[in-house]
Amino acid sequence: MQAKLTETYIINLKHKSERYDVRDTIERGLVLRVGKKFGSKQWHTFVYRGAKRRMVRLGLFPHMTVRDARMAAIQTKASSNAPWTPEHIKTVADLFAEYKTARGPKMRSWCDIQSAWDVWANEFVGHLRLTDVSIHHGRELRSHVSKKSSELRGSAVIRYIRPMFGWAVDESLIDENPWAGLKATAIATPRDRVLTDEEWRKVWDATFEDNLGAYFRFLMMSAQRKDNVASMKWEELEGDIWTIPAAKFKATKRERAKAHEVPLTSALMEILEKQPKRGPFVFGPTGLKQLRLGSREKDRLAKGAGVDDWRIHDLRRTAATRMTENKVPRFIVERVLGHADRSVTAVYDRANYREEKRQALDVLSKK
């Protein structure tokens, strides 16, 4: 029930066999709880933290008057909205772990965020206490990455890590975003680099002199993303089918991601058969952890091939181009690449196109 609570009104409230609440129409959230029979009359108010609501006890009537109860309710609700950092979140690394749990499963770019954190941000800012983080730390991180790698990579690291602080503000974990004014000025321009037939052959030949050659050859003949190949596990292989789990596959929305099948041609199978089984991962020096590649590994291969101005992802673009040039329908190339089919027909067409994809990859292998 609701009423405009006054001292006289409260004194006249009768105790019943069951307790009941009277909500104040003046101060929203203020409640007077009347106990059973000869019980007490207690002041409470409702407070919110995110989507969760809880009731907070303020005091007893008449020791706490109506006026005091309203003032106490206002102060309690105000303090409940103030940022409150849990005890287990003390450093930036702790915050990142919380951010990963909350947002990681829902973000298509999480693998890039994780990589930026592992390679650059963790060592540089992970040890800092949340109360000590400032925009200067972000600028120093951006400058450090730019010097060690490139200005483009420095800006990318900021774009990947900066939203974490905005999320923390929304979740009332910190008072304000210390990197709110931090700029990530360098933006990558869309690339259309496709290796020529001669360049493709030179890179292919150079892989046989490189200690990561098997990885690069598999990349060139499968047309899959570099991170998916680098993180390939033996358990993902069954016969002549490689299934990339939905959790590892890039998708606009993680909840809509699906596992992606890659039919293995005889050329791809030959590469896998020569790989030693030293751990759960197919590629890498030890097989015990995922292969991590950067510009250094690519530059080494490029130098051996004598082919400049290309990136690892350009191999995937070149492979797709080679398939379409050899009369493979673009729709099948999209299925090989694992791109989403956004047409209405896709709602009804559930075929996996396994044989068509195998034929397309055979064309690429022969080319």
Side-chain angles (χ1 to χ4, degrees):
M1 58 185 290
Q2 294 183 349
K4 179 181 178 181
L5 297 177
T6 64
E7 270 75 5
T8 303
Y9 181 86
I10 296 173
I11 291 171
N12 292 328
L13 287 174
K14 305 297 183 182
H15 295 284
K16 300 179 181 180
S17 58
E18 296 293 334
R19 74 180 185 188
Y20 64 96
D21 295 340
V22 182
R23 295 175 180 267
D24 186 24
T25 57
I26 302 299
E27 180 55 44
R28 184 176 181 180
L30 180 61
V31 174
L32 181 74
R33 174 161 288 180
V34 182
K36 300 179 183 179
K37 295 184 179 179
F38 303 104
S40 61
K41 296 177 180 178
Q42 298 180 354
W43 292 108
H44 295 80
T45 190
F46 288 105
V47 298
Y48 291 83
R49 181 168 293 279
K52 296 182 179 180
R53 186 182 77 162
R54 65 188 181 94
M55 180 178 276
V56 177
R57 184 178 182 274
L58 301 177
L60 287 170
F61 178 84
H63 301 293
M64 177 177 279
T65 65
V66 175
R67 181 177 180 278
D68 291 341
R70 286 177 179 147
M71 292 298 296
I74 292 172
Q75 294 173 359
T76 302
K77 287 185 288 185
S79 62
S80 72
N81 292 326
W84 171 77
T85 305
E87 287 295 325
H88 67 283
I89 304 179
K90 296 180 180 179
T91 66
V92 177
D94 297 334
L95 180 63
F96 182 82
E98 196 78 6
Y99 183 54
K100 179 179 181 179
T101 301
R103 298 293 299 148
K106 302 175 184 178
M107 299 177 69
R108 62 174 288 189
S109 60
W110 184 258
C111 59
D112 298 322
I113 297 172
Q114 186 70 57
S115 178
W117 174 261
D118 292 340
V119 178
W120 302 105
N122 186 21
E123 181 181 0
F124 209 82
V125 299
H127 63 283
L128 297 174
R129 296 184 68 87
L130 286 178
T131 53
D132 297 336
V133 181
S134 71
I135 193 172
H136 301 293
H137 294 109
R139 289 171 181 160
E140 290 173 1
L141 172 61
R142 183 183 61 194
S143 176
H144 171 73
V145 178
S146 298
K147 291 177 181 178
K148 290 290 185 178
S149 180
S150 67
E151 185 180 353
L152 191 64
R153 181 65 59 87
S155 293
V157 170
I158 298 303
R159 279 196 297 272
Y160 286 136
I161 304 301
R162 184 177 54 195
M164 173 179 69
F165 294 108
W167 169 84
V169 172
D170 291 340
E171 295 296 316
S172 295
L173 298 177
I174 57 177
D175 190 20
E176 60 182 13
N177 184 349
W179 289 9
L182 186 61
K183 304 297 183 183
T185 53
I187 300 176
T189 55
R191 288 182 61 84
D192 57 2
R193 174 79 159 98
V194 174
L195 277 67
T196 65
D197 283 350
E198 183 180 0
E199 290 174 330
W200 184 262
R201 285 193 294 270
K202 285 182 177 179
V203 172
W204 174 266
D205 291 340
T207 63
F208 291 94
E209 304 298 327
D210 193 277
N211 59 356
L212 295 178
Y215 164 80
F216 283 109
R217 288 195 295 278
F218 195 96
L219 202 64
M220 295 173 75
M221 287 197 293
S222 68
Q224 300 308 303
R225 293 182 176 89
K226 61 178 184 178
D227 289 335
N228 289 143
V229 177
S231 64
M232 179 194 294
K233 292 184 176 182
W234 291 108
E235 63 183 26
E236 296 169 2
L237 302 169
E238 185 173 350
D240 60 355
I241 299 294
W242 170 33
T243 302
I244 304 175
K248 293 168 57 175
F249 205 70
K250 188 176 181 180
T252 303
K253 294 186 177 180
R254 275 291 183 91
E255 61 271 18
R256 296 183 182 178
K258 298 179 181 178
H260 176 53
E261 278 192 2
V262 181
L264 300 174
T265 62
S266 57
L268 291 172
M269 290 292 292
E270 183 178 349
I271 295 174
L272 294 176
E273 289 169 357
K274 293 181 179 179
Q275 284 298 109
K277 293 185 178 181
R278 290 176 285 197
F281 293 94
V282 177
F283 297 105
T286 65
L288 298 176
K289 59 183 180 179
Q290 176 180 336
L291 181 63
R292 298 287 185 185
L293 286 98
S295 57
R296 182 171 16 180
E297 289 77 14
K298 189 277 298 182
D299 290 343
R300 185 182 63 221
L301 180 63
K303 183 177 180 180
V307 179
D308 298 325
D309 187 30
W310 62 278
R311 300 176 184 172
I312 295 178
H313 193 70
D314 294 338
L315 299 177
R316 177 170 159 90
R317 185 183 299 107
T318 302
T321 303
R322 292 291 175 268
M323 286 187 280
T324 54
E325 287 176 346
N326 285 273
K327 311 304 180 184
V328 177
R330 178 177 287 187
F331 177 80
I332 300 303
V333 174
E334 290 177 348
R335 304 288 75 74
V336 172
L337 298 177
H339 288 169
D341 184 358
R342 304 184 187 282
S343 66
V344 176
T345 307
V347 178
Y348 302 93
D349 182 6
R350 296 300 181 181
N352 58 26
Y353 294 94
R354 183 180 295 175
E355 290 308 313
E356 290 84 352
K357 290 191 288 186
R358 190 189 305 279
Q359 292 170 11
L361 290 174
D362 267 328
V363 169
L364 182 61
S365 297
K366 293 175 182 177
K367 179 65 177 177

